[in-house]
Amino acid sequence: MLSDARENVGEPSSQHIQRRSPEQYTGYMALVRECVETEPSSFEEAVQQQVWVDALVEEYDSIVRNSVWDVVPRPEKNSVVSSRWLYKVKHATDGSVEKHKARFVACGFSRVERIDYDENFSPIARYSSIRSMLALLA
């Protein structure tokens, strides 16, 4: 088999394998990169696209409507917990974009126990957990 290859192709010109990027696919990859929804990494990037501005407004309205936070004067001796926006593209089961989701979260890792807080409470429950508990009670 090796002799057939030498007869048809000839002797190898060098012992080194040269790797080249497939130039015919670079345009295709650039097109795919543009089609894929990317998540912004900063607030400045998010406000440049209308879909993310709509998601920011929706989250802000939800915070106000549910009275999540109260505005209070800053205590003199306590530190302030920083916060940030998180962005996520939610996909449907077929892979299409279902929703652009923005979340405003507090960076709780900057707090110190017994100085900034005494207890934690997070009222979040999954519907599957609630259904399971109701099934056990029935």
Side-chain angles (χ1 to χ4, degrees), residues 20-64:
R20 292 179 284 162
S21 63
E23 295 175 5
Q24 69 263 23
Y25 298 120
T26 54
Y28 174 74
M29 292 306 294
L31 180 64
V32 168
R33 190 177 305 122
E34 289 178 10
C35 293
V36 173
E37 287 286 328
T38 57
E39 298 164 356
S41 59
S42 67
F43 180 79
E44 289 78 19
E45 286 181 28
V47 296
Q48 293 177 0
Q49 299 177 11
Q50 187 60 39
V51 292
W52 290 112
V53 171
D54 295 340
L56 291 167
V57 169
E58 181 183 344
E59 176 69 7
Y60 178 75
D61 289 342
S62 173
I63 289 171
V64 171

Side-chain angles (χ1 to χ4, degrees), residues 13-22:
S13 59
S14 71
Q15 296 293 330
H16 299 287
I17 298 173
Q18 294 180 351
R19 292 188 177 152
R20 292 179 284 162
S21 63

Side-chain angles (χ1 to χ4, degrees), residues 90-101:
K90 301 289 185 173
H91 296 280
T93 55
D94 63 351
S96 63
V97 175
E98 182 178 357
K99 184 178 185 179
H100 291 81
K101 182 72 177 164

Side-chain angles (χ1 to χ4, degrees), residues 47-95:
V47 296
Q48 293 177 0
Q49 299 177 11
Q50 187 60 39
V51 292
W52 290 112
V53 171
D54 295 340
L56 291 167
V57 169
E58 181 183 344
E59 176 69 7
Y60 178 75
D61 289 342
S62 173
I63 289 171
V64 171
R65 186 174 52 253
N66 296 323
S67 301
V68 173
W69 291 314
D70 295 326
V71 178
V72 296
R74 179 180 177 179
E76 299 264 338
K77 296 180 181 178
N78 291 355
S79 61
V80 175
V81 175
S82 60
S83 58
R84 64 178 292 171
W85 285 98
L86 299 177
Y87 310 98
K88 189 71 177 167
V89 176
K90 301 289 185 173
H91 296 280
T93 55
D94 63 351

